Amino acid sequence: MNEVAVTVGASQALYLSLQTLVKPGDEVILFEPFFDLYVNQIKLAGGTPVFVPLTFVPYNYDPHGVDDDDDDNGRVTGGTWVLEPEKLEEAVSSKTRAIILNSPHNPTGKVFALAEMETIAQNVIRAGPQCVVISDEVYKYIVHSPSQEDADDDDQLALSSSSSPGHVHFASLPGMWDRTVTVSSAGKTFSATGWQVGWCVAPSRLTLPVQQLLPYVQFCASTVMQEALARALPRADEPYEGHDSYYEYLNSNYRRKRDLLGRALSEAGFAVPDYSVTPGGGFFIFARITPELRAALPPERMEEPFNKNPAAPGGTARLDWALCQWMAEERGVLCIPSSPFFSEKRAREGASDEFIRVAFCKEDVTIERAAGALMGLRRGAPDVEEEEAEVGNVDVVAGSGLQ
């Protein structure tokens, strides 16, 4: 047990890992967009966040032509978020104490490819012996669209778990066990985010400081919840609801909910990922705002007093924030603007303007009500339903896998 620390949710596992690893002057790399909890936890530990932007590549992107973000019919498309190796290489230095990896990724749903993980591993070594990876894997059992390309890769198959096909534990890469703190929890897997049982797994030299600090923060996770989880884990491998295991049921259920919400968002005018092309995990859709939706937003929503919001980056609500607030007030549909998942500098530059995050970890009836409320949105049509529908984030800590 020297290599495991049980914590009050994955949020505490991350907090304690950073507190025991990071000192003032240390840098911690985040892939942007990122789960917003990471930034302030790094700062609380005295570290400096260093942002490595993931690149959004539209499906219609032509590297040899002029990319106007439109397809041949003039429509804005969905796309894939990718890690460009040179951007990570530019950010890594001898000051890099940790790299936080979140796969499946909140907010985009991205599943990091094996080649991208290998790039991260190479840069961990290049940074120096002080550098470790904190791998947030709370969505490991929710890979609803595994990579078909990686599925044909023998190395990928060797690194994947039979209970979580499509997911690669970063610590399983050659030489990375000694350099990885794996953070996870039961919340996402068993739809019990409020129960707050998490853990971190790492070599004893990395877990021992966490175990020593834990009693001074919150003494321990609830004994009752730990016992419940200990009983649930072995049963999850058994047949469940017509599936070979609970994990297969979980992915099948979320896949259906994802498609139900995705169709509603597409019909409302958003551009969404094509999961036959783009691998996906978690239970969020990072939807892209199209020119049609931008035109449907009343112009005054981008002006004072509507655009003044102390919660928005810099106190000014940009397009993503304005659209989410308008949808909540006029349609009763709650979504999350993407700007909190970007650094303030990049948000002010407009990097987050085109995206919102929508959750499908909801009952079917809720998603169906939201679909009705979204009908005619891009045309500015009157509400289809008066009854409010909620499709927003229900996680205890705003969404990523850290509950």
Side-chain angles (χ1 to χ4, degrees):
M1 294 299 292
N2 291 337
E3 296 170 340
V4 180
V6 179
T7 59
V8 183
S11 296
Q12 190 190 58
L14 175 72
Y15 173 78
L16 294 173
S17 296
L18 288 168
Q19 288 291 325
T20 56
L21 287 169
V22 177
K23 302 294 185 292
D26 289 342
E27 295 180 348
V28 179
I29 288 177
L30 296 177
F31 298 110
E32 185 180 26
F34 47 80
F35 177 42
D36 53 350
L37 182 74
Y38 297 154
V39 172
N40 285 327
Q41 286 212 4
I42 292 168
K43 292 179 179 179
L44 283 170
T48 301
V50 175
F51 306 106
V52 174
L54 299 174
T55 301
F56 178 72
V57 181
Y59 294 130
N60 60 291
Y61 174 68
D62 179 5
H64 305 294
V66 177
D67 176 29
D68 59 2
D69 285 347
D70 293 338
D71 64 13
D72 293 339
N73 297 314
R75 295 175 298 185
V76 165
T77 70
T80 302
W81 295 84
V82 300
L83 171 61
E84 297 185 71
E86 60 273 15
K87 292 184 178 179
L88 178 57
E89 291 167 4
E90 291 171 0
V92 166
S93 75
S94 59
K95 294 182 179 180
T96 305
R97 184 65 174 104
I99 299 173
I100 296 182
L101 171 65
N102 176 212
S103 182
H105 180 256
N106 180 9
T108 67
K110 171 182 174 60
V111 177
F112 278 72
L114 178 58
E116 293 174 319
M117 289 193 174
E118 290 172 339
T119 294
I120 296 170
Q122 292 164 5
N123 280 276
V124 169
I125 295 171
R126 193 169 68 88
Q130 82 291 343
C131 184
V132 302
V133 167
I134 300 176
S135 185
D136 173 7
E137 301 184 14
V138 293
Y139 294 108
K140 62 170 283 187
Y141 290 112
I142 311 175
V143 180
H144 46 73
S145 303
S147 168
Q148 295 305 307
E149 181 178 338
D150 282 350
D152 298 329
D153 188 322
D154 291 340
D155 291 336
Q156 165 86 19
L157 292 175
L159 296 170
S160 293
S161 165
S162 59
S163 59
S164 53
H167 175 73
V168 172
H169 293 279
F170 186 82
S172 68
L173 270 63
M176 287 298 108
W177 160 252
D178 287 334
R179 310 285 290 269
T180 305
V181 177
T182 301
V183 170
S184 196
S185 78
K188 300 299 185 293
T189 304
F190 296 104
S191 303
T193 53
W195 287 21
Q196 295 288 285
V197 179
W199 55 86
C200 56
V201 180
S204 57
R205 67 180 179 84
L206 297 175
T207 55
L208 181 58
V210 170
Q211 293 168 342
Q212 291 173 331
L213 183 58
L214 181 57
Y216 299 101
V217 182
Q218 286 168 296
F219 188 78
C220 69
S222 165
T223 302
V224 174
M225 300 311 175
Q226 291 189 62
E227 177 66 24
L229 177 58
R231 296 185 185 193
L233 285 171
R235 294 185 62 184
D237 290 318
E238 300 172 359
Y240 184 81
E241 296 288 334
H243 296 267
D244 290 342
S245 70
Y246 167 77
Y247 302 118
E248 287 192 13
Y249 159 81
L250 183 70
N251 272 288
S252 176
N253 197 35
Y254 273 136
R255 195 175 297 116
R256 180 179 52 78
K257 292 177 183 292
R258 176 204 71 194
D259 292 343
L260 180 61
L261 178 61
R263 285 193 297 271
L265 289 170
S266 294
E267 291 170 3
F270 290 95
V272 300
D274 178 354
Y275 292 106
S276 68
V277 176
T278 301
F283 42 58
F284 302 114
I285 294 178
F286 211 46
R288 192 178 181 195
I289 302 169
T290 61
E292 290 176 294
L293 287 172
R294 186 190 299 253
L297 180 69
E300 63 269 18
R301 288 286 177 162
M302 298 293 293
E303 302 170 354
E304 294 187 21
F306 290 106
N307 69 344
K308 293 304 178 184
N309 191 318
T316 300
R318 297 180 64 91
L319 176 62
D320 61 319
W321 204 286
L323 182 66
C324 285
Q325 185 169 342
W326 178 61
M327 289 170 59
E329 293 175 357
E330 300 299 326
R331 298 298 176 118
V333 179
L334 306 182
C335 305
I336 304 296
S338 67
S339 47
F341 306 113
F342 287 79
S343 62
E344 184 171 327
K345 177 178 181 293
R346 292 255 296 154
R348 287 186 174 188
E349 291 172 351
S352 57
D353 283 0
E354 288 189 311
F355 300 94
I356 66 170
R357 193 194 70 178
V358 195
F360 52 88
C361 49
K362 302 287 179 178
E363 294 182 358
D364 289 355
V365 65
T366 300
I367 299 176
E368 290 165 357
R369 287 164 58 198
L374 289 170
M375 286 180 61
L377 183 67
R378 55 183 158 181
R379 297 187 301 275
D383 293 348
V384 176
E385 290 190 31
E386 292 296 329
E387 188 174 21
E388 287 193 352
E390 181 179 336
V391 191
N393 172 19
V394 292
D395 297 341
V396 174
V397 188
S400 151
L402 291 179
Q403 283 67 313

